[in-house]
Amino acid sequence: MANLVRFGVSMDAGLLKQFDEMIEEKKYTNRSEALRDLIRDHLVEQEWDENKETIGTITIVYDHGVHELMEKLTDLQHLYSKLIRSTLHIHLDEHRCLEVLVVRGRAGEIRKIADSLISTKGVKHGKLTATTTGKDLS
């Protein structure tokens, strides 16, 4: 790490105890690495709040037997084709499928396609996982 800077942090003993428990649970080697990850996570959230160019995944589970569902999902994906970088389709069983879409674009546009897909009748569950291109992170 270039230009590593050390600094002190004061906090309530109870909060530090909870932080140390989280560090142990998640197998961090030290407080510094855990704190860096928390800061990065907050910065990624800010990118999404500021509607910057971002990347993420949209995961949906659906019943392919629902009338015209496949056509609706395909139409939505074609409508937003400029944002969709890749898709993965898995048959879970004879009725259910899982799709994962990798998306890249402005946060607002990605939220819009995620909301459209997830709210489509027949989609049993969906989730947008927001991340970053990493361009603005150290």
Side-chain angles (χ1 to χ4, degrees):
M1 285 190 178
N3 298 322
L4 187 64
V5 177
R6 293 184 183 270
F7 66 97
V9 176
S10 300
M11 73 174 64
D12 177 80
L15 183 60
L16 181 59
K17 182 178 185 286
Q18 288 178 308
F19 185 55
D20 286 341
E21 288 168 358
M22 182 208 71
I23 289 170
E24 185 176 328
E25 180 181 308
K26 294 187 179 264
K27 309 289 188 226
Y28 281 103
T29 55
N30 57 55
R31 289 176 179 161
S32 293
E33 192 56 43
L35 189 56
R36 282 190 289 269
D37 276 356
L38 288 170
I39 291 169
R40 286 186 197 111
D41 191 49
H42 180 75
L43 293 172
V44 168
E45 283 182 31
Q46 265 189 307
E47 283 184 24
W48 279 78
D49 289 343
E50 294 170 5
N51 200 30
K52 290 185 177 179
E53 182 189 17
T54 53
I55 193 162
T57 60
I58 303 167
T59 304
I60 56 173
V61 175
Y62 60 90
D63 181 344
H64 74 246
V66 172
H67 184 65
E68 296 183 1
L69 177 59
M70 297 290 295
E71 293 82 2
K72 289 176 186 174
L73 293 175
T74 300
D75 288 347
L76 283 168
Q77 290 181 36
H78 281 278
L79 181 65
Y80 293 102
S81 63
K82 290 181 182 176
L83 300 175
I84 299 171
R85 300 295 191 212
S86 183
T87 60
L88 169 69
H89 181 97
I90 298 173
H91 301 279
L92 298 173
D93 58 31
E94 58 193 48
H95 301 288
R96 294 173 301 124
C97 296
L98 175 131
E99 278 192 15
V100 179
L101 294 84
V102 177
V103 290
R104 183 175 185 165
R106 296 267 175 217
E109 296 171 319
I110 292 174
R111 279 193 181 98
K112 189 174 179 181
I113 184 176
D115 290 345
S116 297
L117 289 165
I118 293 167
S119 66
T120 302
K121 184 177 180 180
V123 173
K124 303 227 179 250
H125 181 258
K127 185 168 184 91
L128 169 62
T129 303
T131 190
T132 179
T133 62
K135 182 172 55 176
D136 295 331
L137 289 181
S138 305

